[in-house]
Amino acid sequence: GAGVSQSPRYKVAKRGQDVALRCDPISGHVSLFWYQQALGQGPEFLTYFQNEAQLDKSGLPSDRFFAERPEGSVSTLKIQRTQQEDSAVYLCASSLLAGGNTGELFFGEGSRLTVL
Amino acid sequence: GENVEQHPSTLSVQEGDSAVIKCTYSDSASNYFPWYKQELGKGPQLIIDIRSNVGEKKDQRIAVTLNKTAKHFSLHITETQPEDSAVYFCAANNNAGNMLTFGGGTRLMVKP
């Protein structure tokens, strides 16, 4: 497809389980972002990649959260030992150019994580 | 860091009326202000953006105004239609320009 693809769309995890969320950005897009969106709230920044380099991870809420983009294309957000407060929609976005203010962010439909 | 406040949180208008959503930001270094529309179960989609070198931008029924001195910007939708019903988010970039801070969102309901 031509858009940003995220999988799984829905994930239910028991507290303490590890989860991995995948993002396929638009082909050729340099920048990739992960955002967390709690119910009824705006997206909150987690981390930013320029190609394979993770240039900003200041929004990751704890060391249980880890993201990678090893070949500068597909990215994975991993959450270890999930907690109930991790329940949210995790949005991935990509942008053609470097940085976040040079053009449109294209968002995927998100991965909804529910931790029981 | 940047803080973006958005209001109202909900807005109900009659079809054909205008809708206005307002946002304020805290970082005077911000220079890029996009607006996103999010429909249920979908990711946010850019509808219009404005940079700090202009005060107003218009695209058909949608317009955005920016007041850098007061650090606020607004979205104006005229002749609203039922398909405009969605959640709208304003955003501002950070000092390094590599991320967006979003407002809390406005749920717009357009009644036919």
Side-chain angles (χ1 to χ4, degrees), chain B:
Chain B
E2 176 71 279
N3 183 46
V4 178
E5 300 284 340
Q6 181 173 348
H7 61 96
S9 57
T10 61
L11 179 59
S12 181
V13 299
Q14 207 65 38
E15 182 178 359
D17 288 350
S18 296
V20 180
I21 302 170
K22 299 182 179 182
C23 288
T24 60
Y25 62 98
S26 61
D27 188 351
S28 56
S30 294
N31 60 7
Y32 176 64
F33 308 92
W35 286 87
Y36 282 80
K37 176 183 180 182
Q38 187 173 31
E39 297 177 335
L40 195 63
K42 300 289 180 69
Q45 184 174 15
L46 180 72
I47 55 171
I48 195 168
D49 57 12
I50 190 168
R51 299 185 186 278
S52 58
N53 57 343
V54 296
E56 185 173 357
K57 183 176 178 181
K58 190 173 181 179
D59 182 4
Q60 299 182 349
R61 297 186 297 109
I62 296 173
V64 57
T65 59
L66 171 65
N67 184 327
K68 283 220 71 177
T69 303
K71 289 191 280 189
H72 67 69
F73 55 114
S74 300
L75 177 72
H76 304 252
I77 306 174
T78 58
E79 301 171 29
T80 53
Q81 302 167 3
E83 51 265 37
D84 294 329
S85 297
V87 180
Y88 291 81
F89 294 98
C90 61
N93 66 328
N94 69 335
N95 189 31
N98 66 344
M99 62 171 261
L100 295 176
T101 298
F102 286 81
T106 297
R107 179 173 299 279
L108 174 65
M109 293 169 284
V110 180
K111 294 181 285 188

Side-chain angles (χ1 to χ4, degrees), chain A residues 3-12 19-25 34 74-79 89-93 107-113:
Chain A
V4 176
S5 178
Q6 292 188 245
S7 61
R9 287 293 316 279
Y10 304 93
K11 176 69 179 178
V12 178
V19 300
L21 308 176
R22 176 189 170 103
C23 173
D24 278 274
W34 283 98
V74 171
S75 177
T76 303
L77 176 66
K78 298 179 180 178
I79 309 172
V89 175
Y90 290 85
L91 294 166
C92 175
F107 281 88
E109 295 192 323
S111 292
R112 180 179 294 278
L113 172 65

